[in-house]
Amino acid sequence: MQTLRELIERHSEENSEFRYYIKHIDEAEANEIAHPDITIECCTALFQGVSKTIVARLDPPEDPKAFADGSVQSQVRAALKCLAAGDDIIEIDFPRRAESLVQIIGELRNQRGDISHGRAVPKELQSDRSLARLVLNLTEAIIRYMLASFFALQPERPFVPPYDDNEAFNAQLDEDAEMPGKLSYSRALYDQYPEDYMIRLKEYTDEQEAMSADLDAIFAAEKAE
């Protein structure tokens, strides 16, 4: 599920909370051979968690409890509906047809899950590695499509240069702010309000360029004399 992990990491700056799902991805892959049913449970959890988040962000349900208690298929359907409403060019027909696959994955979890439902041993039904691999591949493809569509609906984060690239500017901000102790105003501004940081940085850069131009003019005049 490396491509899904990479998609989440690429958007982690503006959507850092989605990194929460990486632990589900790691656990799903780690149990593929030894505990295939745990892998299937993790995949179901991914479908549920991602769908709930998308719905909560784009169109919160009138009855959150009823939505949370619904089937994984109904939650995925609601998330896809939200994505389609947010972008009329989204290719939604294929993933909607994939709802039946999601339903099957949810049924496998209900019938064979080792964690969420607890099983007496020996288990009567147990999935094999090939089925777990198939579920992994389907989960990666569908959720990657859902998240890529969701991220595309988010406003792009303005470019902010690395904090350490502007040491003189940061030092001036900290000096002007006079914050107590080891607190750094420039770092807090950079992390929490990047747009404001960029506005202040542009003002600082413009001032430095104007000063440099004035000095160049003075030196040129002195040399002409």
Side-chain angles (χ1 to χ4, degrees):
M1 304 181 84
Q2 185 60 27
T3 59
L4 178 56
R5 187 184 287 106
E6 291 173 352
L7 175 65
I8 293 174
E9 292 288 5
R10 279 202 308 275
H11 293 270
S12 62
E13 287 191 3
E14 62 272 29
N15 294 280
S16 60
E17 62 275 19
F18 279 92
R19 297 195 78 259
Y20 168 80
Y21 296 117
I22 290 180
K23 68 178 182 180
H24 295 316
I25 296 172
D26 293 341
E27 190 171 357
E29 291 180 327
N31 285 283
E32 176 190 350
I33 298 175
H35 306 287
D37 286 318
I38 292 180
T39 290
I40 293 173
E41 283 195 81
C42 291
C43 290
T44 306
L46 278 168
F47 275 115
Q48 290 181 302
V50 169
S51 296
K52 289 176 182 177
T53 301
I54 290 174
V55 171
R57 294 283 192 85
L58 300 181
D59 187 17
E62 294 183 2
D63 189 343
K65 186 178 186 306
F67 174 71
D69 292 342
S71 68
V72 60
Q73 182 185 13
S74 66
Q75 291 163 350
V76 170
R77 183 187 303 117
L80 291 170
K81 183 179 179 181
C82 288
L83 293 172
D87 187 348
D88 58 6
I89 65 171
I90 187 172
E91 298 292 341
I92 208 69
D93 288 341
F94 172 74
R96 274 183 175 164
R97 294 180 184 278
E99 287 178 19
S100 58
L101 296 174
V102 174
Q103 180 182 8
I104 293 172
I105 293 172
E107 290 173 353
L108 285 173
R109 187 276 306 273
N110 292 337
Q111 296 169 2
R112 308 180 184 185
D114 293 320
I115 299 174
S116 59
H117 293 281
R119 300 293 171 192
V121 291
K123 289 176 61 176
E124 295 181 4
L125 295 172
Q126 184 165 334
S127 305
D128 60 21
R129 178 186 178 184
S130 60
L131 180 58
R133 167 51 53 179
L134 176 60
V135 171
L136 274 174
N137 290 338
L138 291 171
T139 301
E140 179 179 25
I142 297 172
I143 292 184
R144 188 178 65 229
Y145 182 90
M146 293 172 68
L147 283 182
S149 301
F150 174 76
F151 292 146
L153 296 175
Q154 307 305 297
E156 291 188 8
R157 186 176 188 267
F159 171 74
V160 181
Y163 174 78
D164 293 333
D165 284 2
N166 297 286
E167 293 183 2
F169 170 64
N170 296 334
Q172 181 171 313
L173 281 180
D174 293 337
E175 182 179 349
D176 293 343
E178 297 182 349
M179 295 185 70
K182 296 182 179 180
L183 296 176
S184 171
Y185 171 76
S186 62
R187 184 79 235 191
L189 186 68
Y190 181 89
D191 291 337
Q192 299 178 34
Y193 302 99
E195 294 86 356
D196 293 343
Y197 180 90
M198 288 301 298
I199 292 173
R200 300 280 294 274
L201 176 60
K202 186 177 186 308
E203 292 173 350
Y204 173 82
T205 303
D206 289 345
E207 290 176 1
Q208 295 299 308
E209 290 177 351
M211 291 174 58
S212 178
D214 289 343
L215 290 174
D216 288 343
I218 292 174
F219 291 148
E222 290 178 349
K223 186 175 181 181
E225 293 178 355

